[in-house]
Amino acid sequence: MKKLNLLFFIIFLFAFKNSKATETEPNNTKATANLLALNGSNTGAINVSGDEDWYSITTNADGKLDVKIAVSNGKTLRCYIYDNNGTTLLSSGYSSVATTVSYDGAAEGTYYIKLIAYTTGQLPDYTV
């Protein structure tokens, strides 16, 4: 019985570890943005100098939109939240560890998140 419980535990850990989505390229523009599930997370990396990673997220109610970012390799990452047009900047922030970028007063709808390196040459790995 102990072996069976251990097996189920290992399977659970494997499934949980692999439940995060991973960014897919190209996602360098609003038009090619990866989907970020509401209350979900994605892992990714700024792979080359000048790389941008875009995500779209659709809210289902009015309120506050919190985008939590965690950087795993100590490089500084900028996070921008844009309105559904992809050009109106609503909020921004940056961190080399972890931070939350928020927009209070969001209406139900689609928003865009752009992640870039804080400075040229830095290649941050992140979870958003």
Side-chain angles (χ1 to χ4, degrees):
M1 185 66 169
K2 287 183 182 181
K3 287 183 180 180
L4 186 59
N5 286 340
L6 180 61
L7 178 62
F8 284 127
F9 180 72
I10 291 170
I11 291 170
F12 172 77
L13 285 178
F14 181 76
F16 181 75
K17 179 182 175 192
N18 291 305
S19 65
K20 288 183 181 177
T22 303
E23 88 163 296
T24 55
E25 293 288 351
N27 63 335
N28 298 331
T29 65
K30 171 191 157 192
T32 60
N34 287 179
L35 178 63
L36 180 60
L38 197 58
N39 298 314
S41 66
N42 285 52
T43 59
I46 303 301
N47 296 316
V48 296
S49 186
D51 187 20
E52 297 181 358
D53 289 348
W54 283 76
Y55 294 91
S56 66
I57 186 165
T58 301
T59 62
N60 56 13
D62 296 354
K64 184 177 178 185
L65 176 60
D66 288 327
V67 178
K68 297 178 183 182
I69 57 171
V71 180
S72 60
N73 64 353
K75 306 297 181 187
T76 305
L77 183 74
R78 285 187 183 267
C79 175
Y80 299 94
I81 300 174
Y82 291 96
D83 201 350
N84 63 0
N85 61 17
T87 58
T88 303
L89 180 62
L90 302 173
S91 185
S92 66
Y94 61 91
S95 180
S96 61
V97 185
T99 193
T100 300
V101 180
S102 300
Y103 174 63
D104 201 359
E108 178 181 348
T110 300
Y111 295 85
Y112 290 91
I113 300 161
K114 178 173 78 170
L115 303 175
I116 61 171
Y118 184 78
T119 58
T120 303
Q122 289 192 359
L123 305 175
D125 296 329
Y126 63 84
T127 300
V128 59

